[in-house]
Amino acid sequence: MRGLAVSLLGLWLVPLVALAQQPADYNTITSVNVSGGTVEISGSKKPDFNSFTMTDPPRLVIDVSGAVFKDVPEELPVGNGTVTGIRTQAYGTESSSIARILIGYEREVETDIQTSGNKLVVKVLGSGGGAVVAQVTPSEGQGTPAQGATAANTQAGSNAQDAARAAASDREAQEKAVKAAADAARAEREAQEKAAAEATARAKADADAEKKRQEEAQAAAKRQDEERRASEQAAAAEKKRQEEEAQAAAKRAEDERRATAQAAVDQKRQQEADAKTAAEEKRAAAQAAAEERQAAAKTAAEQKRAAAQTASEAKRLKDEERQAAAQARREEQQSAREAAADQKRQRAAEARERREQAVAARESRARPSQGSAAAESRESGGGAVSSRRKTMTQIGFQQQSDSSRVFVRTNEPVRYTVGTSGNQVVLELENTRVVESNNTLPLDTHFFPSAVSRVEAFSGAGQTVRVVIQLKQGVRYETRQEGGLITLDFPRPGR
C-alpha cells in the first residue's frame, strides 16, 4: 500500500495548469464509481479518451480529452481486493483541457474499456472480476473479516479451503489497518501543515499591520511637510505678486512718459513727411510726362520691328513648305522602294513556305517528329503560316500518366524549329514576340518525377522567341503542332 501511494504521488508531481474558467462545451465528469472490479466514469458527453498501463505497482491511466471534473474528489481510496484506489487530476490549457483518471490494482490484470452513452466502463477481464467479488463481498451473518475467518476455522477445522479464506481475510484486515494508519499519519501531517500555515498567516498579518501603521505614520509626516511647504510657497507667491505689481506700476509711468515724448516726435515727422510728399508728387508728374514721350517713341519702334519680323516669318514659312514638299516626295519614293522589297521578300517567303509545307507533309505522313537530347539535332515545323507577327500567349508544364508535357500557345500557327544539345532542348518560334512578362518567368519542375527540370522563355534576336527546356537526363521526345498549340512530350524516367 505504501509503495502504491508513493508511486501515485510521483506520477502526479508534474507541472499542471488548471483552468480558471472552463468553456461550456467541455465534457463535465461528475462521478467515478467502483463496483468490484468495474469502474464507471460518468460525464456530460460521450468521452474521447486515450489509455495506457503502468507497472510496479499495476496501474491503468485514462486521459479524457476536452473534459473537466465537477464534484469529484482527487483521491478515492477503495482497497476491495482488486482496485486499491483512484486518483483524478485535470490539466491542460484554457483552450484544451484533459481529465486524467488513474486506477490502481492489487495485481497485474487485463482490462476492457467500453463506452456506454456518456459513460466510460472499465472492467477486469478473466477470473479477476470474480476474485474481486469474492474478496470484497462478505457472506451473511459474518462480522468483521477477522471474525468471519475465525468462525470458518471453527466450523471447518482442517479444511484447507476455509484456512485459505481465513488467511485472505486476515491479510485484508492487516491491509486496512495499514491504510488506516497511513490515513491517520497523513491527517496528522495535514493538521501540522495547516497549523504552520495559520501561524505563518498570522505572522504575515501582524507584519502587514505593522507595515501599514508605519506607512500611515510616514504619510501623516509627509502631509505635514507638504502643508508647511505649501504655506511657505503661498507666502513667497504673495510677496512676489506684490513686487510684480510695484514693478508694473513703475513701468506704466515710464511708458506714459515715453509715449508723450514719442507723440511729439511723431507730429514733427508727420509735418516733414507732408512737405516731402508734395515735392515727390511734383517730381512724379514731371517723370510721368517724360515716360509718356518715351513710350510713344518705343511703340513706333516696336511697330516697325514687328512689320519687319512679319515679312521674315512669311519668307521662313514659305521655305519650310518647299522643304516639306521635297521631304514628302523622298518619303513616297522610299515607301515605294520598301513596298517593292516587301513584296519580293513575301513572294520568296511564300515559295519557301510551299517547299517546307511539302517537306513537312511528307515527314508527317511517315512518322511524328522525334528528337534525342543526347546529340545535336534540329527540326522544323509549321504548315500554312501567315506573315503576320505572332504572339506567344502561354507557356506551361503538365504531368501526364506516362510522360511530362511542355506546351506553348500562340495566337495563330507559327513556324518553329527544335534543336537539342546534351541535356538541353531549344524550341525557337519564328516571327514571334512575348507581350506578357509573366510568360518569361522560369518554370522550376525539378521536384516532379519528370525528365524536365526547368523551362524558360526568352525574346531572341531577329523577332524570335526561344524556349529553353533543361533536362535531368537525355531522353527521346515527341513534338506536335495543332493550330496555335505546340507540345513536346518527354517520357518519365525509367519508362
Side-chain angles (χ1 to χ4, degrees):
M1 292 294 291
R2 181 176 297 176
L4 174 61
V6 173
S7 63
L8 292 177
L9 181 62
L11 175 64
W12 294 100
L13 287 178
V14 294
L16 302 176
V17 180
L19 298 180
Q21 183 178 2
Q22 304 298 343
D25 59 350
Y26 276 0
N27 185 359
T28 303
I29 297 176
T30 57
S31 65
V32 179
N33 299 317
V34 182
S35 176
T38 301
V39 178
E40 187 176 275
I41 304 165
S42 301
S44 61
K45 296 170 62 176
K46 184 176 180 180
D48 180 11
F49 67 95
N50 294 317
S51 65
F52 60 91
T53 59
M54 303 180 70
T55 59
D56 195 20
R59 303 177 301 281
L60 173 65
V61 180
I62 301 174
D63 286 341
V64 183
S65 301
V68 295
F69 292 105
K70 182 179 180 182
D71 300 331
V72 178
E74 293 185 359
E75 185 173 357
L76 289 81
V78 181
N80 62 7
T82 299
V83 179
T84 60
I86 296 176
R87 285 185 62 88
T88 63
Q89 182 68 50
Y91 65 96
T93 63
E94 186 174 356
S95 60
S96 175
S97 178
I98 296 177
R100 172 169 288 184
I101 302 99
L102 185 144
I103 306 172
Y105 292 100
E106 291 284 357
R107 59 189 175 281
E108 297 288 344
V109 296
E110 288 190 25
T111 58
D112 177 34
I113 306 175
Q114 296 183 357
T115 58
S116 177
N118 294 344
K119 294 182 178 181
L120 191 63
V121 181
V122 183
K123 296 181 179 180
V124 176
L125 297 178
S127 60
V132 170
V133 175
Q135 292 173 6
V136 299
T137 308
S139 60
E140 287 187 13
Q142 290 182 340
T144 64
Q147 293 173 350
T150 304
N153 286 330
T154 303
Q155 294 173 2
S158 60
N159 190 300
Q161 185 176 2
D162 292 342
R165 186 177 295 114
S169 298
D170 290 341
R171 184 171 61 255
E172 183 178 355
Q174 291 173 1
E175 291 175 350
K176 288 182 178 180
V178 171
K179 185 177 183 301
D183 292 341
R186 183 171 62 253
E188 179 64 21
R189 184 174 63 255
E190 291 176 353
Q192 293 175 357
E193 292 175 352
K194 182 177 180 182
E198 291 175 352
T200 303
R202 286 194 298 273
K204 186 176 183 301
D206 294 341
D208 292 343
E210 177 63 21
K211 183 179 179 181
K212 184 176 180 181
R213 185 187 63 77
Q214 293 177 358
E215 289 176 351
E216 290 175 351
Q218 292 175 358
K222 184 177 180 180
R223 283 196 300 272
Q224 292 177 357
D225 189 35
E226 290 176 351
E227 290 174 357
R228 180 182 56 78
R229 285 198 299 269
S231 177
E232 293 175 352
Q233 291 175 358
E238 178 64 19
K239 182 179 179 181
K240 183 178 181 181
R241 185 185 64 79
Q242 293 175 358
E243 292 175 352
E244 289 175 351
E245 287 181 353
Q247 292 174 0
K251 185 177 181 182
R252 284 195 299 271
E254 180 66 20
D255 291 342
E256 290 175 358
R257 184 185 63 78
R258 290 179 179 176
T260 302
Q262 185 66 34
V265 172
D266 291 343
Q267 185 177 4
K268 183 178 180 181
R269 288 177 180 173
Q270 182 64 36
Q271 293 173 356
E272 293 175 352
D274 292 342
K276 186 178 180 181
T277 300
E280 288 178 352
E281 288 178 352
K282 186 177 180 180
R283 285 196 300 273
Q287 186 176 358
E291 289 176 353
E292 288 179 359
R293 289 192 298 273
Q294 292 176 0
K298 184 177 180 181
T299 300
E302 288 178 352
Q303 290 176 352
K304 185 176 180 180
R305 285 196 299 272
Q309 187 175 1
T310 301
S312 176
E313 184 69 17
K315 182 179 179 181
R316 184 183 63 79
L317 292 176
K318 190 172 182 180
D319 293 340
E320 290 180 353
E321 288 176 357
R322 287 196 300 272
Q323 293 175 1
Q327 180 66 23
R329 287 193 298 273
R330 287 194 296 272
E331 290 178 354
E332 288 177 358
Q333 294 172 358
Q334 180 66 23
S335 298
R337 288 194 295 272
E338 290 179 354
D342 288 341
Q343 291 178 358
K344 183 177 180 180
R345 284 195 298 271
Q346 185 173 359
R347 286 193 296 271
E350 289 175 353
R352 186 174 65 255
E353 287 175 3
R354 286 192 294 272
R355 290 194 299 274
E356 290 176 353
Q357 289 174 5
V359 173
R362 289 195 299 273
E363 290 180 353
S364 62
R365 287 194 299 272
R367 60 176 177 83
S369 59
Q370 295 183 342
S372 172
E376 180 73 27
S377 65
R378 299 197 65 84
E379 301 175 359
S380 299
V385 179
S386 69
S387 60
R388 292 187 297 271
R389 185 82 179 273
K390 317 301 186 300
T391 301
M392 189 185 80
T393 60
Q394 185 181 9
I395 181 170
F397 175 82
Q398 292 178 340
Q399 281 287 78
Q400 300 183 350
S401 60
D402 59 350
S403 64
S404 301
R405 170 171 289 183
V406 177
F407 64 90
V408 177
R409 293 185 184 275
T410 56
N411 61 335
E412 59 180 276
V414 61
R415 182 176 293 105
Y416 66 92
T417 60
V418 181
T420 61
S421 177
N423 289 341
Q424 193 175 80
V425 178
V426 179
L427 171 65
E428 188 167 300
L429 309 179
E430 298 180 4
N431 194 24
T432 307
R433 62 183 176 180
V434 179
V435 177
E436 297 292 338
S437 60
N438 287 342
N439 289 329
T440 61
L441 298 178
L443 303 178
D444 187 0
T445 62
H446 76 278
F447 45 81
F448 287 104
S450 168
V452 180
S453 64
R454 183 183 176 91
V455 182
E456 188 170 5
F458 304 90
S459 293
Q463 297 183 349
T464 62
V465 174
R466 290 169 55 86
V467 179
V468 179
I469 305 170
Q470 188 67 40
L471 303 179
K472 300 175 183 177
Q473 62 188 49
V475 296
R476 298 182 64 81
Y477 59 90
E478 293 185 359
T479 307
R480 289 185 175 85
Q481 181 179 26
E482 296 180 2
L485 176 64
I486 301 174
T487 60
L488 292 88
D489 292 331
F490 300 85
R492 292 191 182 182
R495 293 180 179 268

